[in-house]
């Protein structure tokens, strides 16, 4: 993967992270975090996965 492609992936993952964090905030603000715990936990998993992937791509870029 070229550095440009890797940067594109990092940027797209950042969009996923930002959108997921915004959704989590809405869940928390409206009390849905308790009412829809399974969905809230899935969102946390998505966020965790996106952050890990972004970190991996960043580390590879720093090593290039």
């Amino acid at each position: 993967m070229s550095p440009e492609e890797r940067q594109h992936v990092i940027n797209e993952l950042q969009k996923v992270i930002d959108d997921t964090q915004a959704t989590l905030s809405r869940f928390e603000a409206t009390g849905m975090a308790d009412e829809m715990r399974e969905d809230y936990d899935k969102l946390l998993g998505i966020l965790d996965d996106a952050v890990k992937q972004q970190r991996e791509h960043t580390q590879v870029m720093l090593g290039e």
Side-chain angles (χ1 to χ4, degrees), residues 12-62:
E12 291 299 314
L13 285 166
Q14 187 61 51
K15 291 177 187 177
V16 171
I17 291 166
D18 293 343
D19 290 347
T20 305
Q21 287 177 325
T23 302
L24 285 166
S25 293
R26 286 194 304 274
F27 260 64
E28 293 162 358
T30 60
M32 288 172 42
D34 295 325
E35 291 179 31
M36 300 179 69
R37 191 68 202 182
E38 187 176 323
D39 291 332
Y40 184 78
D41 289 342
K42 287 179 184 177
L43 286 168
L44 289 174
I46 291 168
L47 179 61
D48 184 55
D49 188 46
V51 169
K52 286 178 183 175
Q53 288 182 49
Q54 188 183 52
R55 184 180 316 121
E56 290 170 9
H57 283 283
T58 301
Q59 288 175 337
V60 170
M61 278 191 65
L62 292 173

